[in-house]
Amino acid sequence: MPCTTLLVGKNASYDGSTLIARNDDSQSTRFTPKKLAVIHPEQQNRVYETVLSHLKIQLPDNPMRYTAMPNALKGEGIWAASGINEAEVAMTATETITSNPRVLGADPFVEYDEETNTPGGIGEEDIVYLVLPYIHSAREGVLRLGSLLEKYGTYEMNGIAFSDYDEIWWLETIGGHHWIARRVPDDAYVVMPNQLGIDTFDLKDAFTTQENHLCSDDLKEFIEKNHLCLNLDDSFNARYAFGSHDDSDHVYNTPRDWFIRRYLNPHTYKWDGENADFTPFSDDIPWTMVPERKITVEDVKYALSTHFQNTPYDPYITRGDLSNKGALRPVGINRNGFLSVLQVRQGQEPIEWFTFGSNVFNTLVPLYIHIDTVPEYYSNTTAEVSTDNYWANRLIGAMADACDKQSAIHIERYQRVVQSHSHHIIHTYDELIEKETDEARKTELRHEANQKAADMLKKETSKTLHLVLDTMKNKFARSDA
């Protein structure tokens, strides 16, 4: 999917949590309705068949419960997308990334052959379903997915994030069967638009101690045989070797990376004007950066909602030189399907923050994940447009986008009120859950907290929808005498 990912190490976050977040964006000209779900072990198939590539895979007999954000409509597979399992390991998949002809010529994609009915490999449709129910750490997630890629191959390039309370790992697929993964430093963050991002990669570490780097077993031979290393010295830059270097990256990918870094590190580098260190068109923005201050959930939400505010590229700009208005692909876009921020906390239960629709106009809400069901407001999405589920935020976005200046105050209030109430619910129920000794009662409290959050969100969403209905440009102050 055309998405944007933000990863925040535990020492870079405001409360010591690991944070992995991703916008799941629909393809151009369409929306993919989503819903929130809890998948129980008895619901997990033991033989899984992919829809797009017609591949059958035998799965282990010991799946765990996990949350997921599957497609609401049938037809193209599960696309579980994002979630946290009962071992408190989080995963989000996938960020569609790019490669180059040298890589794809050396290790072609494993695509379904309709003429011979030969199965293809695995892809975004399948990855969370095949991995998340079976892993007990972020590192274990990398190794399980890596083994699946080596065995079955893939028909697309993807980036996948894993986290637990201690570590974050980012895996990138290389061609049909190869992969690399790098641990995010604890004091740093990573921004991933839709292109291969890992730069410096320590092959020695990957083939010895594996402290911060992992890769497919034959990666060294693959690089050497196909002359993929482009460094002039003894170092190895994976972005040079495996990534894309296209003009389209400077419209679609690098600008998003540039703007989020500009927000989180405004003084570290010169981002604008002559002699800028990095611009929207820079291919060499570092994969990791240490932020200038600790990063909050609200920072993550803002970063993954941005649209080049206060720059000439903002699609909502109305003053000055408008020649670059809307020229670059923003992070917050009309076809954002959902955003999840997976917060694995130190000494406390994980929280799955999420929201539906275009991020410019929506707001995050929290979910305790050790639960049996989710509130109906999050799970009842259908193809029919409604104000009782996912579609409410789609309606707000469509109307607020058309009258953005008039709607801005209502959207800002909506986001502030919901996020404030959300933090209050977490503070209240964290304390209640911590004091409770009975496990059944703890589960009841989590359900109670989640329902309170859902009721509050529904109320505030309905209120905001009512307010933006009154922002049409053809309104007139005088009514009948």
Side-chain angles (χ1 to χ4, degrees):
M1 286 291 188
C3 312
T4 312
T5 298
L6 180 56
L7 315 173
V8 183
K10 61 184 179 182
N11 295 338
S13 75
Y14 72 109
D15 67 343
S17 301
T18 56
L19 297 169
I20 62 173
R22 183 174 64 90
N23 291 345
D24 189 282
D25 303 338
S26 303
Q27 297 174 358
S28 183
T29 73
R30 60 178 288 190
F31 294 137
T32 304
K34 304 293 281 190
K35 63 180 181 180
L36 186 62
V38 178
I39 311 297
H40 292 273
E42 59 272 20
Q43 297 173 295
Q44 185 79 1
N45 294 328
R46 298 310 188 265
V47 178
Y48 174 77
E49 183 171 3
T50 68
V51 172
L52 299 183
S53 61
H54 305 273
L55 173 67
K56 289 186 178 180
I57 299 175
Q58 186 74 38
L59 294 177
D61 286 327
N62 59 342
M64 290 179 281
R65 184 193 68 243
Y66 62 103
T67 60
M69 193 71 77
N71 286 1
L73 310 183
K74 294 182 179 180
E76 295 185 343
I78 296 173
W79 298 75
S82 179
I84 306 175
N85 69 21
E86 63 182 275
E88 302 187 349
V89 180
M91 178 181 180
T92 185
T94 71
E95 181 82 30
T96 303
I97 58 175
T98 53
S99 189
N100 63 65
R102 296 182 308 283
V103 170
L104 299 180
D107 183 11
F109 289 145
V110 182
E111 299 177 317
Y112 171 61
D113 189 323
E114 189 172 359
E115 289 186 7
T116 63
N117 199 31
T118 301
I122 61 174
E124 182 172 356
E125 169 202 348
D126 322 298
I127 287 175
V128 169
Y129 193 91
L130 295 175
V131 176
L132 186 57
Y134 310 102
I135 58 175
H136 298 82
S137 70
R139 183 183 292 260
E140 191 178 325
V142 170
L143 295 174
R144 173 163 174 78
L145 178 55
S147 68
L148 291 169
L149 290 166
E150 291 174 25
K151 182 174 182 178
Y152 299 106
T154 183
Y155 51 83
E156 58 190 7
M157 292 284 295
N158 282 311
I160 300 96
F162 302 89
S163 66
D164 52 39
Y165 74 93
D166 191 40
E167 294 187 327
I168 299 174
W169 282 83
W170 175 254
L171 182 150
E172 295 181 327
T173 64
I174 310 297
H177 300 85
H178 294 83
W179 57 275
I180 57 174
R182 187 171 155 189
R183 185 179 184 273
V184 177
D186 294 338
D187 64 347
Y189 71 94
V190 167
V191 179
M192 284 298 309
N194 291 114
Q195 62 182 149
L196 190 139
I198 294 175
D199 46 21
T200 303
F201 191 81
D202 188 341
L203 288 165
K204 182 179 179 181
D205 179 48
F207 283 95
T208 54
T209 60
Q210 299 183 333
E211 184 177 352
N212 296 301
H213 302 79
L214 294 165
C215 66
S216 44
D217 290 340
D218 66 340
L219 190 69
K220 272 186 180 179
E221 293 79 6
F222 178 66
I223 294 167
E224 292 170 4
K225 179 181 178 181
N226 296 288
H227 311 289
L228 295 175
C229 181
L230 301 183
N231 286 71
L232 296 174
D233 55 21
D234 293 334
S235 63
F236 178 68
N237 187 308
R239 195 183 299 175
Y240 290 168
F242 307 132
S244 61
H245 312 282
D246 300 332
D247 292 339
S248 59
D249 286 328
H250 300 152
V251 175
Y252 202 82
N253 295 323
T254 56
R256 286 181 276 161
D257 192 2
W258 167 79
F259 193 79
I260 293 176
R261 310 283 188 168
R262 184 178 179 267
Y263 168 60
L264 294 174
N265 284 78
H267 308 106
T268 308
Y269 298 100
K270 182 175 171 59
W271 301 98
D272 300 282
E274 292 186 18
N275 303 314
D277 297 303
F278 300 108
T279 74
F281 318 110
S282 295
D283 292 312
D284 58 347
I285 298 175
W287 187 65
T288 68
M289 277 189 188
V290 176
E292 293 180 11
R293 59 172 177 80
K294 294 196 173 187
I295 297 173
T296 67
V297 170
E298 288 72 36
D299 289 326
V300 174
K301 172 62 171 72
Y302 181 86
L304 292 178
S305 306
T306 52
H307 48 86
F308 304 113
Q309 295 94 312
N310 302 311
T311 76
Y313 310 108
D314 188 348
Y316 298 110
I317 194 172
T318 57
R319 298 177 182 176
D321 182 3
L322 304 183
S323 61
N324 286 310
K325 176 180 179 178
L328 306 178
R329 196 273 206 201
V331 180
I333 197 170
N334 65 319
R335 48 195 168 86
N336 296 139
F338 77 89
L339 161 62
S340 67
V341 183
L342 307 179
Q343 182 181 19
V344 183
R345 301 187 291 172
Q346 298 281 338
Q348 293 177 302
E349 298 189 12
I351 296 290
E352 180 169 350
W353 298 84
F354 71 95
T355 185
F356 296 124
S358 177
N359 289 347
V360 180
F361 308 106
N362 61 18
T363 183
L364 287 172
V365 68
L367 182 88
Y368 284 98
I369 61 95
H370 290 304
I371 50 174
D372 300 317
T373 61
V374 299
E376 185 183 5
Y377 187 58
Y378 305 151
S379 62
N380 66 352
T381 308
T382 67
E384 184 177 349
V385 177
S386 167
T387 59
D388 288 330
N389 52 33
Y390 158 95
W391 291 106
N393 277 114
R394 282 270 175 242
L395 294 170
I396 289 173
M399 289 182 287
D401 174 80
C403 299
D404 58 288
K405 293 291 186 292
Q406 298 92 329
S407 300
I409 188 170
H410 304 311
I411 300 302
E412 289 171 5
R413 178 204 167 275
Y414 175 48
Q415 293 169 341
R416 182 180 65 254
V417 169
V418 170
Q419 290 176 1
S420 299
H421 283 317
S422 294
H423 279 289
H424 181 67
I425 289 170
I426 292 171
H427 291 320
T428 301
Y429 280 87
D430 274 353
E431 190 172 325
L432 292 172
I433 292 168
E434 186 176 359
K435 288 178 180 178
E436 183 58 59
T437 56
D438 181 73
E439 288 300 320
R441 177 57 184 153
K442 282 188 176 184
T443 301
E444 289 177 1
L445 287 169
R446 296 181 193 110
H447 283 195
E448 186 178 303
N450 291 344
Q451 190 60 55
K452 278 194 174 183
D455 292 342
M456 176 271 297
L457 177 66
K458 184 175 182 178
K459 175 183 175 183
E460 295 300 332
T461 300
S462 179
K463 185 185 297 185
T464 303
L465 182 57
H466 174 81
L467 290 169
V468 297
L469 281 169
D470 193 38
T471 58
M472 293 175 66
K473 292 178 180 177
N474 65 349
K475 69 178 182 178
F476 197 76
R478 179 176 173 173
S479 57
D480 294 343

